Amino acid sequence: MAGKMLSNGRVLIIGAGGLGNPATWALARAGAARITLVDPDPVELSNLARQILYRIEDIGAPKVEAAARRIRAMYPGVDINPLEASFTADNGAALASAHDFIIDATDDPATKFLINDTACALSRPFAYGGVLGMNGQAMTVLPGRSACLRCLFEAPPDALETASCREAGIIGPVAGVIGEIQAGEALAVLRGATPWLTGRILTYDATSAGRFRLTAVAAREGCKCGASRRANNSSATDAAH
Ligand SMILES: [Zn+2]
């Protein structure tokens, strides 16, 4: 199954939890040979139900090390580089610029916006993902070409809203669906194809019969990502910087 044509693509996965586990596994399975996995946390007992790369004996070990061990055991041809760290304003630009695609697999709104801004500044495509209870969502951003996270939300939610999100929890199968979809978006970009979720957000509701819904997201005028300038005034794009 390993795809030779993907071997040079470099994918940065930020977060080795509920989204990062299925995304990493799916990429490795598809033959994406170069993966950097970033996360500062150790494996905890409560992670095992939905973070499918970990085993009971991994508890206490850094998540990125445990995930890398498991991926190497299953797919020896995959070059997985574990980095026990957070994605921050200090290391973000260097990390993003060293990769061809970024998967946002974090659960922290402030980090999601940092990923958005860093990726847009450096023109690195990325897949946003979020899960909350029985719902999930995902969108892919091609900086300067399609709507970014700030076109959609403008600013991170306040701390109170974030706290209630955490309490709603993360359901394993929902995170599995969204993480797999994010990996699929990465694979599309590495193959030179336009990702499915460019300029549209997918929402997934595990409790409804319809389950998947796609909603177009227009680039917001005035957003510093610049995508609306391109969409609304393509003749002036060359002159604008
Ligand atoms: Zn934007």
Side-chain angles (χ1 to χ4, degrees), residues 146-151 220 223-227:
S146 70
C148 80
L149 214 52
R150 283 188 193 278
C151 289
R220 183 173 55 83
C223 183
K224 64 184 176 187
C225 75

Side-chain angles (χ1 to χ4, degrees), residues 1-16:
M1 278 292 287
K4 276 179 289 185
M5 64 186 160
L6 298 178
S7 61
N8 289 321
R10 300 164 298 177
V11 181
L12 174 64
I13 302 177
I14 303 169

Side-chain angles (χ1 to χ4, degrees), residues 30-158:
R34 295 162 73 188
I35 298 168
T36 302
L37 187 58
V38 179
D39 194 298
D41 294 330
V43 177
E44 294 176 23
L45 179 62
S46 63
N47 300 148
L48 299 185
R50 64 183 181 276
Q51 299 182 19
I52 51 183
L53 292 172
Y54 307 134
R55 297 289 173 269
I56 195 107
E57 58 268 28
D58 295 324
I59 290 172
K63 284 184 175 180
V64 291
E65 296 288 351
R69 251 196 319 272
R70 185 123 172 87
I71 291 294
R72 286 173 187 142
M74 288 189 288
Y75 308 100
V78 172
D79 176 7
I80 181 163
N81 172 30
L83 183 61
E84 190 185 351
S86 299
F87 183 89
T88 67
D90 290 332
N91 66 13
L95 277 171
S97 59
H99 294 84
D100 302 302
F101 193 89
I102 301 166
I103 291 181
D104 160 22
T106 68
D107 63 358
D108 170 46
T111 307
K112 290 182 178 302
F113 277 80
L114 177 65
I115 292 167
N116 182 80
D117 296 348
T118 306
C120 286
L122 295 166
S123 274
R124 287 297 184 280
F126 75 99
Y128 154 78
V131 284
L132 175 62
M134 299 301 275
N135 298 288
Q137 51 184 214
M139 183 175 83
T140 297
V141 176
L142 304 181
R145 291 173 54 193
S146 70
C148 80
L149 214 52
R150 283 188 193 278
C151 289
L152 191 58
F153 301 116
E154 290 202 41
D158 65 29

Side-chain angles (χ1 to χ4, degrees), residues 212-235:
F212 289 104
R213 201 176 66 227
L214 284 170
T215 308
V217 180
R220 183 173 55 83
E221 205 164 327
C223 183
K224 64 184 176 187
C225 75
S228 75
R229 282 200 301 273
R230 184 182 174 112
N232 300 334
N233 194 3
S234 58
S235 63

